[in-house]
Amino acid sequence: MPTTRVEVKENILSANDLIAQKNRQALDQAGVFSINLMASPGAGKTSLIEHTVRLLQPEFRLAVIDGDIATTIDADRAAAAGAKAVQINTGGDCHLDAVMVSSALASLDLTEFDFLIIENVGNLVCPASFKLGVHKNVLIASVPEGDDKPYKYPGMYQGVDALVLNKMDLLPYIPFRSQYFWHGVEVLNPGVQSFEISCASGSGLDAWLDWIRQHILACRHA
Amino acid sequence: MHELAVTENLLALALKHASLATFAASTAAAPTPRITCLHIVIGQLSSIIDDSVQFYWTIIAKDTPAQSARLDFQRIPALFQCSACSHQFAYRPDEFTCPACNSPQLKIIAGNEFYLDSIEIETS
């Protein structure tokens, strides 16, 4: 049978992107600033969330959506720190997608919140491909992971709006070439907003919190 | 690891466009034509494993008009361009400086592609 070629030229995950746009509309409508926190397992996503929630909770109303393969450990920690926490168990999936976030958003009354943190599944590959519809995509790297991570995971490092380098307190004990690390970051994502912090000592958290505050106030309805 | 989601989206996109093409060609409601090939463009920096997609494809496309479609992957190599001297060169994950002028100011100009370019469908 003869065949004909039909042009498509459509992004493979365009269906996900469409739902992501709807998530964004819902967040904008409610005036909620939202971030998607991505990192490898153990980089400090949950620790940073705990600090952020504890320190911002007197000023703002916070919600956390926690993506995890099976447990509720992370959501429990976020709730204990003072946020409304919603757990998404991905059932083995290595990333959150816009549909999972959409149903988690539906379980929250967004008008009750100023700031939403979405904690993605610990993974430096898959979450980079799936837009969720948040305002800022944030990557947490950490000193013990090594200075070569930008070079090994260019997809993740290219796509984020902010980069947090955690566990700076370990710098004296670990061979980590800061210049090499930041050069890779700069090539992949020129001028990206960045923070050097330590969740253990609390250093650098002020700058991070100021950045969040500034965006919450900009998103919040007057 | 996210190849299953990618494969599901590829199937949905292919079926949608096959059915749109038939609809445009005739006014009568026609069944979705058989899809014989998907031309997929994947940049080197998009972490997708062709074999995995192919593996899932044989499972999820079964009993659809795309069941016997061939998956044609066009791989686009990643390219850097030097912002200082405009030299273009192949992406190397361990070396982020220009081999011509040593500048560290580089841009990635290819390698992030991730789309379904076209499909082939049977026409009677």
Side-chain angles (χ1 to χ4, degrees):
Chain A
M1 203 176 275
T3 62
T4 179
R5 194 159 168 150
V6 178
E7 188 166 283
V8 176
K9 297 235 186 291
E10 204 171 318
N11 185 301
I12 293 171
L13 297 175
S14 55
N16 180 76
D17 298 351
L18 211 67
I19 311 274
Q21 275 173 24
K22 291 192 179 143
N23 291 345
R24 178 58 171 274
Q25 279 165 8
L27 290 161
D28 279 340
Q29 221 156 42
V32 182
F33 174 57
S34 53
I35 64 172
N36 168 24
L37 215 48
M38 297 176 283
S40 63
K45 289 186 297 302
T46 312
S47 296
L48 183 60
I49 289 173
E50 280 176 324
H51 281 82
T52 306
V53 167
R54 200 166 287 131
L55 295 166
L56 288 182
Q57 189 229 33
E59 299 161 64
F60 303 107
R61 303 164 303 164
L62 289 87
V64 175
I65 294 177
D66 239 300
D68 229 323
I69 285 175
T71 67
T72 62
I73 296 170
D74 291 354
D76 295 346
R77 283 174 64 184
K84 163 84 180 171
V86 177
Q87 175 78 31
I88 302 177
N89 280 138
T90 64
D93 259 358
C94 48
H95 59 272
L96 292 180
D97 64 27
V99 177
M100 298 178 205
V101 169
S102 166
S103 43
L105 288 180
S107 72
L108 290 168
D109 178 358
L110 290 180
T111 60
E112 289 179 0
F113 301 101
D114 305 303
F115 179 37
L116 168 68
I117 305 174
I118 300 177
E119 179 175 2
N120 216 311
V121 181
N123 183 333
L124 287 181
V125 182
C126 312
S129 302
F130 294 84
K131 291 181 189 149
L132 304 182
V134 297
H135 294 89
K136 298 287 178 194
N137 288 298
V138 179
L139 171 63
I140 308 180
S142 66
V143 167
E145 286 169 50
D147 51 27
D148 58 355
K149 289 301 168 288
Y151 301 83
K152 293 175 82 171
Y153 299 96
M156 178 58 81
Y157 277 82
Q158 278 184 93
V160 295
D161 305 298
L163 173 62
V164 177
L165 180 59
N166 188 22
K167 310 193 189 181
M168 288 298 288
D169 53 306
L170 296 180
L171 212 47
Y173 314 105
I174 287 171
F176 183 92
R177 295 160 296 174
S178 290
Q179 208 184 347
Y180 180 67
F181 176 82
W182 289 112
H183 173 57
V185 171
E186 184 58 25
V187 166
L188 294 167
N189 199 333
V192 67
Q193 178 73 49
S194 60
F195 305 93
E196 292 185 332
I197 68 160
S198 162
C199 283
S201 75
S203 75
L205 283 172
D206 286 348
W208 159 253
L209 294 172
D210 280 346
W211 183 76
I212 300 274
R213 264 189 205 101
Q214 193 188 317
H215 285 286
I216 293 176
L217 295 174
C219 278
R220 192 147 71 165
H221 293 153
Chain B
M1 273 297 282
H2 56 295
E3 276 77 0
L4 176 57
V6 165
T7 314
E8 286 167 343
N9 281 280
L10 274 173
L11 178 63
L13 264 185
L15 292 173
K16 180 182 88 176
H17 283 272
S19 132
L20 282 176
T22 330
F23 190 69
S26 73
T27 47
T32 304
R34 274 172 27 101
I35 302 167
T36 57
C37 186
L38 278 74
H39 295 279
I40 303 156
V41 180
I42 306 279
Q44 184 188 338
L45 301 177
S46 298
S47 323
I48 293 295
I49 299 162
D50 304 2
D51 284 351
S52 281
V53 175
Q54 185 69 62
F55 169 79
Y56 286 124
W57 182 262
T58 51
I59 299 166
I60 67 161
K62 195 168 178 290
D63 301 327
T64 75
Q67 125 167 300
S68 49
R70 187 171 63 83
L71 301 184
D72 165 51
F73 292 94
Q74 189 192 350
R75 280 277 174 181
I76 309 287
L79 270 186
F80 270 140
Q81 181 172 39
C82 174
S83 302
C85 74
S86 297
H87 179 58
Q88 293 184 2
F89 55 100
Y91 174 91
R92 274 182 46 193
D94 54 339
E95 184 60 73
F96 280 10
T97 47
C98 173
C101 75
N102 260 329
S103 167
Q105 307 289 324
L106 311 176
K107 271 190 312 215
I108 294 175
I109 56 167
N112 286 311
E113 298 76 5
F114 188 61
Y115 61 94
L116 179 59
D117 182 70
S118 60
I119 55 174
E120 290 176 34
I121 57 174
E122 284 185 348
T123 49
S124 44

